[in-house]
Amino acid sequence: MFQKKECIAMLLAGGQGSRLYTLTEKTAKPAVPFGGKYRIIDFPMSNCVNSGIDTVGVLTQYQPLVLNEYIGNGEPWDLDRTRGGVTVLSPYEAKGGKDWYRGTANAIYQNLTFIERYDPEYTLILSGDHIYKMDYSKMLDEHKKNGADCTIAVLEVPMEEASRFGILNTDDNNKIIEFEEKPKQPKSNKASMGIYIFTTKVLKKYLIEDEANPESSNDFGKNIIPNMLADGCPMYSYTFEGYWKDVGTLTSLWEANMDLLGNPPAFNLYDRKFRIFYRHNAFPPHRLGADSVVKNAMITEGCVIDGTVENSVLANGVIVEKGAVVKDCVIMSGVRVRAGAKLEYAIVDSDTVIGENAVVGENKESQKLLLLGAGLEFPAGAKIPGGVMIDANNIKEFIG
Amino acid sequence: MSVTGIIFCNIHDHTISELTRVRTLASVPFGCRYRLIDFPLSNMVNSNISNISVIANYNYHSLMNHIGSGKDWDLARRSGGVKILPPYIDPHMSNQTNATYNTRLEALKGIGYSIAQMTCDYVVMTDCNVICNINFNDMINDHIASGADVTMAVKRMELTRAMANEQTLVTSSKEGKITDLLPYPSNFEGFADVSLNILVINRKYLQDIVLDATAHGYVSMTRDVFLRSLSTKNYRIYRYDGYFACISSFEDYYAHNMQLIENQEMFNSLFNIEERPIFTKVRNSAPAYYSESSNVHNSLIADGCIIEGTVENSILFRGVRVGKGAVVKNSILFQDTIISDNASVAYTTCDKNVIIRNNVTLSGHSTLPLYIDRGRMV
């Protein structure tokens, strides 16, 4: 049963996220844990639901197991619907041949049948690698008001950083005149957030044309948007105000976690009117022992803290034993820091154990962020320098 | 083998009237983020019992709100799942009083039709006043192997005279056959097997009991049914040795909560058993945040709390705020309580959505914990 929808979302979640190294070895980037109990994809998914969009296609490709499991039937986001809901769209074999998703535009092209089932006037294209809270319905209102074929969400970035982004040059009515990918001499500071609303019938036309062009790299930023601009389609920018962070690198992932701290924090997750939904694990409440010291930290259910935790985000079921110190860290679920150990300026993936009195990482001022992979065991007294990345393949070099 | 679960929600409401004024005993908050019904529901789900009837009597709005469709316990099922059975007054019944029911047996008579329709092999029945983490599979296997008509879960423990007066004591032979039941004795102290108010019963036998009780006008399951048939029927005990807390007064309730802080082993025996987690309603709160000025020791804290003050020996449910300079000691703060800056509470239980304003000082005593009503502003 396919009910006609005004707007559906297509979430591009196939990215590998190679700059997150071991964190994305077995997991697609959108499924990387964030903020204690979330995964990156929870943000665009929750945004959809909070914007009244109840039909979401999630396009997966790279290491999809964890991501597919996590999305499941969409129940955590109220997307287990009879009419609409979430559908995982993976590459498939068809009569005419088989193909991986070759680019962002090609991925959507291959799923035009899915879009057509709901016959939406508008299609929202999202990516699964940003942390932000956004009401897409306001952007859609703007799109309709302008009679646009395409609306691109933009963030006003500091001028000196503008050359790192795809920059939109617009007129006074936010109508896009020019699109420049990473310009050396930026003329504006409106950076594309990779969030597009298309009028579906225009999108379809351009996707089909683009697919027919063997020279094209089938990418929204490189092909579809410039082609539409060249043809004079009405395209507008929509300025988003609020927190937005690309968590494509280890440093930015660490920073985004730190932005949750503080009161009020740079990025606030405590707003009950705009909740971020996540797949739930049944952990008991967390416990702070008699000697615990916890300062400027986020602690999740299932943790047991008997040591010191400062400026850190701890996920489900992390154990910090007596005398242990955790400082400036992002710790994922099930990690155990044994008595007397010291852990500084690190991202630690799930279920890793830091042995007694081990000294792991260097202080934040060193600017040497440490990455420890999942399921590793560091023996008592181990000494691990900052600025390295350790996983099951190279741990021997560090613990002898 | 198919098993149906029945959970009674209101039978023991009177024991903590403070907390049950606005809710059933089943929906009384406990253990930092749970409600009492989460324990029997989780126990059943963890033992693959997925067809569960929850029998409510009055004040069950909070209960219905909590259970919802049952999906947080994986009980939103096409076959079975959880359903709440509220009472109704049958205008055609002869003994017309406005009361619906007071005992288990009366409650069962009230849903006689549902019971007559049951086709399962066994029925597990439990109240909500006993908190435990029990493996029903094991208990049912024991029940089948022994060929019993009814198997009752018991825990061996040492009782004071006051404690014994709140429990049903069970005497049994060496082989585990029940020889006597002693409901609420007023003159007992020492070691005894205490009933958990949890029993496994053959479905056919349950149907017979309900029909027979209706015919005879019986009221009490223990007194009118079990005690009369001790010699002719095979009633047996099942020994349970895990976490046990029976909520029989407000002081009890407070003490059992506090015990979860003090005794980590006890906490683990309730919450951290492999394959037997306790589920509750998902609220989608962010993790708890501790500010630079927070100072927290010996406490259990749920998600969604923001703590800027001092917290000691306390239990904070989801979404509690503790302001700068505020001090919370030996207290239980229910969901979304706000302790404003420089306020101070000790030995106090704040019900949901209580607001303690700036600079207010409140204190109960360890022997007389204070209780603040839901939604009150102080």
Side-chain angles (χ1 to χ4, degrees):
Chain A
M1 197 182 325
F2 302 102
Q3 190 184 28
K4 180 176 168 59
K5 304 278 179 186
E6 186 190 29
C7 181
I8 71 167
M10 299 294 276
L11 207 168
L12 298 159
Q16 180 182 354
S18 55
R19 287 173 301 161
L20 293 177
Y21 303 95
T22 181
L23 296 180
T24 51
E25 192 180 316
K26 293 192 177 118
T27 314
K29 181 161 132 186
V32 167
F34 176 81
K37 52 171 27 178
Y38 307 93
R39 292 181 188 256
I40 296 170
I41 196 169
D42 288 330
F43 293 86
M45 294 276 274
S46 302
N47 287 342
C48 283
V49 177
N50 288 328
S51 310
I53 293 171
D54 63 7
T55 307
V56 182
V58 180
L59 293 89
T60 65
Q61 176 154 296
Y62 172 81
Q63 284 284 11
L65 174 67
V66 175
L67 183 59
N68 289 359
E69 265 175 359
Y70 188 72
I71 295 167
N73 65 350
E75 183 273 315
W77 307 271
D78 256 348
L79 288 173
D80 51 337
R81 300 288 180 90
T82 307
R83 298 172 161 202
V86 67
T87 307
V88 172
L89 303 166
S90 51
Y92 54 90
E93 189 171 347
K95 207 168 183 184
K98 52 190 164 184
D99 211 348
W100 291 104
Y101 293 150
R102 276 175 280 114
T104 49
N106 173 258
I108 304 294
Y109 171 80
Q110 291 201 39
N111 290 291
L112 276 177
T113 328
F114 171 79
I115 297 177
E116 283 161 1
R117 282 172 187 275
Y118 295 97
D119 189 22
E121 268 85 37
Y122 309 103
T123 303
L124 169 66
I125 310 283
L126 301 170
S127 65
D129 24 4
H130 301 134
I131 302 293
Y132 64 112
K133 294 194 292 188
M134 179 172 177
D135 183 348
Y136 303 129
S137 69
K138 290 185 182 149
M139 180 173 168
L140 182 61
D141 288 345
E142 199 72 8
H143 179 86
K144 287 192 271 188
K145 202 182 82 196
N146 290 331
D149 282 345
C150 173
T151 301
I152 303 177
V154 297
L155 191 74
E156 293 182 352
V157 296
M159 208 62 192
E160 58 273 20
E161 286 177 27
S163 57
R164 287 174 35 221
F165 295 90
I167 293 294
L168 297 175
N169 302 324
T170 63
D171 69 11
D172 293 345
N173 299 319
N174 294 325
K175 189 161 191 236
I176 302 169
I177 303 162
E178 190 183 13
F179 175 75
E180 292 181 292
E181 187 67 37
K182 298 185 181 155
K184 288 210 174 63
Q185 303 280 306
K187 295 180 204 120
S188 119
N189 65 342
K190 287 184 169 178
S192 165
M193 296 162 69
I195 299 167
Y196 312 109
I197 291 178
F198 287 97
T199 300
T200 307
K201 64 174 193 296
V202 181
L203 173 68
K204 246 161 79 177
K205 172 173 171 275
Y206 278 87
L207 285 177
I208 292 166
E209 281 177 20
D210 182 62
E211 192 61 23
N213 176 6
E215 312 279 289
S216 170
S217 49
N218 306 121
D219 185 88
F220 276 102
K222 291 193 192 108
N223 308 104
I224 303 290
I225 305 292
N227 290 349
M228 286 177 71
L229 262 179
D231 291 353
C233 296
M235 300 172 80
Y236 286 82
S237 71
Y238 170 81
T239 305
F240 169 73
E241 280 165 12
Y243 182 90
W244 182 84
K245 186 112 184 162
D246 184 335
V247 285
T249 65
L250 291 173
T251 315
S252 62
L253 181 67
W254 182 88
E255 284 169 359
N257 273 284
M258 292 302 138
D259 286 339
L260 302 173
L261 304 178
N263 192 12
F267 185 49
N268 189 354
L269 294 176
Y270 294 93
D271 179 4
R272 298 290 299 165
K273 293 197 193 76
F274 203 105
R275 279 184 289 172
I276 304 301
F277 302 94
Y278 58 89
R279 188 168 284 280
H280 180 74
N281 284 312
F283 279 94
H286 67 265
R287 159 192 290 281
L288 265 55
D291 305 316
S292 68
V293 178
V294 179
K295 302 277 178 199
N296 192 35
M298 221 173 198
I299 314 275
T300 313
E301 280 153 359
C303 290
V304 180
I305 313 292
D306 287 303
T308 299
V309 179
E310 272 180 67
N311 306 328
S312 297
V313 176
L314 272 54
N316 294 312
V318 172
I319 296 174
V320 179
E321 296 182 357
K322 221 173 178 163
V325 176
V326 173
K327 210 174 158 189
D328 301 311
C329 288
V330 175
I331 314 255
M332 296 179 192
S333 73
V335 168
R336 181 182 275 265
V337 184
R338 292 200 190 275
K342 189 165 189 197
L343 181 59
E344 269 193 273
Y345 196 39
I347 297 178
V348 184
D349 204 349
S350 46
D351 301 319
T352 283
V353 179
I354 312 292
E356 275 179 37
N357 300 316
V359 179
V360 178
E362 290 170 40
N363 64 22
K364 195 175 80 182
E365 288 65 41
S366 71
Q367 299 198 333
K368 290 180 182 166
L369 180 62
L370 173 69
L371 172 65
L372 305 181
L376 306 178
E377 191 125 0
F378 292 89
K383 296 222 173 347
I384 307 292
V388 294
M389 290 182 278
I390 304 180
D391 59 21
N393 300 317
N394 69 352
I395 184 170
K396 285 240 153 55
E397 298 166 28
F398 292 94
I399 59 174
Chain B
M1 177 192 70
S2 65
V3 183
T4 297
I6 297 181
I7 301 174
F8 300 91
C9 292
N10 294 93
I11 305 280
H12 301 273
D13 276 9
H14 58 277
T15 55
I16 41 172
S17 51
E18 295 89 340
L19 297 172
T20 53
R21 206 170 56 74
V22 291
R23 52 173 78 89
T24 62
L25 184 72
S27 41
V28 164
F30 183 83
C32 204
R33 60 190 292 271
Y34 303 93
R35 305 260 182 164
L36 291 181
I37 196 163
D38 292 338
F39 300 94
L41 276 180
S42 302
N43 286 334
M44 287 182 181
V45 170
N46 289 337
S47 302
N48 303 317
I49 300 171
S50 59
N51 189 351
I52 301 173
S53 299
V54 175
I55 303 183
N57 189 357
Y58 38 77
N59 277 347
Y60 46 80
H61 289 180
S62 66
L63 182 71
M64 297 183 79
N65 186 9
H66 182 69
I67 293 179
S69 66
K71 64 174 149 187
D72 291 330
W73 298 263
D74 208 3
L75 286 172
R77 307 280 180 101
R78 202 165 288 283
S79 316
V82 61
K83 53 181 170 290
I84 299 180
L85 299 178
Y88 56 88
I89 293 168
D90 184 346
H92 307 299
M93 265 178 45
S94 50
N95 58 339
Q96 204 40 258
T97 60
N98 270 341
T100 45
Y101 63 77
N102 292 309
T103 69
R104 271 188 186 213
L105 193 55
E106 288 175 326
L108 288 172
K109 287 195 281 187
I111 58 159
Y113 181 76
S114 301
I115 289 182
Q117 297 295 308
M118 283 180 175
T119 55
C120 58
D121 302 316
Y122 306 98
V123 178
V124 173
M125 292 199 279
T126 153
D127 290 2
C128 285
N129 65 327
V130 171
I131 301 160
C132 61
N133 189 329
I134 187 171
N135 183 342
F136 283 130
N137 279 336
D138 194 49
M139 182 172 174
I140 293 162
N141 288 339
D142 204 80
H143 176 82
I144 296 169
S146 69
D149 296 300
V150 175
T151 301
M152 291 184 194
V154 298
K155 175 158 171 127
R156 184 101 189 140
M157 56 200 301
E158 192 174 7
L159 300 169
T160 62
R161 194 174 283 239
M163 281 160 79
N165 198 10
E166 301 288 347
Q167 311 289 351
T168 297
L169 309 186
V170 181
T171 341
S172 56
S173 70
K174 267 212 302 289
E175 295 75 35
K177 189 172 185 306
I178 295 174
T179 52
D180 200 7
L181 295 165
L182 209 55
Y184 316 120
S186 52
N187 57 350
F188 180 91
E189 56 190 320
F191 278 93
D193 286 336
V194 173
S195 164
L196 270 63
N197 291 330
I198 290 173
L199 46 92
V200 177
I201 184 165
N202 295 344
R203 184 259 307 165
K204 185 76 189 52
Y205 181 49
L206 175 67
Q207 288 170 333
D208 290 347
I209 288 177
V210 174
L211 288 177
D212 190 54
T214 312
H216 285 97
Y218 288 160
V219 176
S220 157
M221 191 102 136
T222 308
R223 290 200 174 93
D224 296 337
V225 180
F226 294 154
L227 277 174
R228 282 171 202 245
S229 314
L230 275 179
S231 54
T232 54
K233 289 289 178 184
N234 187 6
Y235 300 149
R236 305 185 67 88
I237 58 162
Y238 169 81
R239 289 200 179 280
Y240 165 77
D241 200 29
Y243 180 92
F244 170 96
C246 178
I247 307 293
S248 45
S249 68
F250 185 67
E251 287 73 17
D252 249 17
Y253 169 83
Y254 178 81
H256 284 304
N257 269 294
M258 287 299 146
Q259 211 168 31
L260 289 176
I261 305 177
E262 287 150 22
N263 190 333
Q264 186 158 4
E265 239 167 78
M266 203 169 246
F267 178 90
N268 288 339
S269 70
L270 179 59
F271 291 119
N272 283 330
I273 298 180
E274 193 97 27
E275 305 292 326
R276 276 156 54 194
I278 305 298
F279 301 95
T280 188
K281 183 182 175 183
V282 174
R283 198 166 176 255
N284 288 291
S285 323
Y289 174 68
Y290 295 84
S291 80
E292 209 57 72
S293 56
S294 75
N295 187 2
V296 183
H297 301 289
N298 267 334
S299 293
L300 296 176
I301 317 278
D303 279 355
C305 292
I306 298 181
I307 302 171
E308 300 182 90
T310 298
V311 178
E312 275 174 37
N313 304 317
S314 296
I315 293 184
L316 273 54
F317 281 72
R318 292 182 278 195
V320 169
R321 302 281 193 271
V322 178
K324 289 194 188 78
V327 179
V328 177
K329 285 187 179 170
N330 304 89
S331 292
I332 303 172
L333 309 181
F334 287 2
Q335 197 168 301
D336 295 328
T337 294
I338 298 174
I339 309 292
S340 312
D341 293 354
N342 302 315
S344 157
V345 295
Y347 297 103
T348 300
T349 297
C350 293
D351 207 315
K352 262 177 86 169
N353 294 318
V354 163
I355 300 177
I356 310 290
R357 299 287 295 269
N358 292 355
N359 304 314
V360 170
T361 299
L362 280 179
S363 182
H365 186 265
S366 60
T367 55
L368 186 70
L370 191 64
Y371 169 76
I372 315 280
D373 270 341
R374 184 167 79 177
R376 259 300 185 62
M377 190 183 305
V378 184

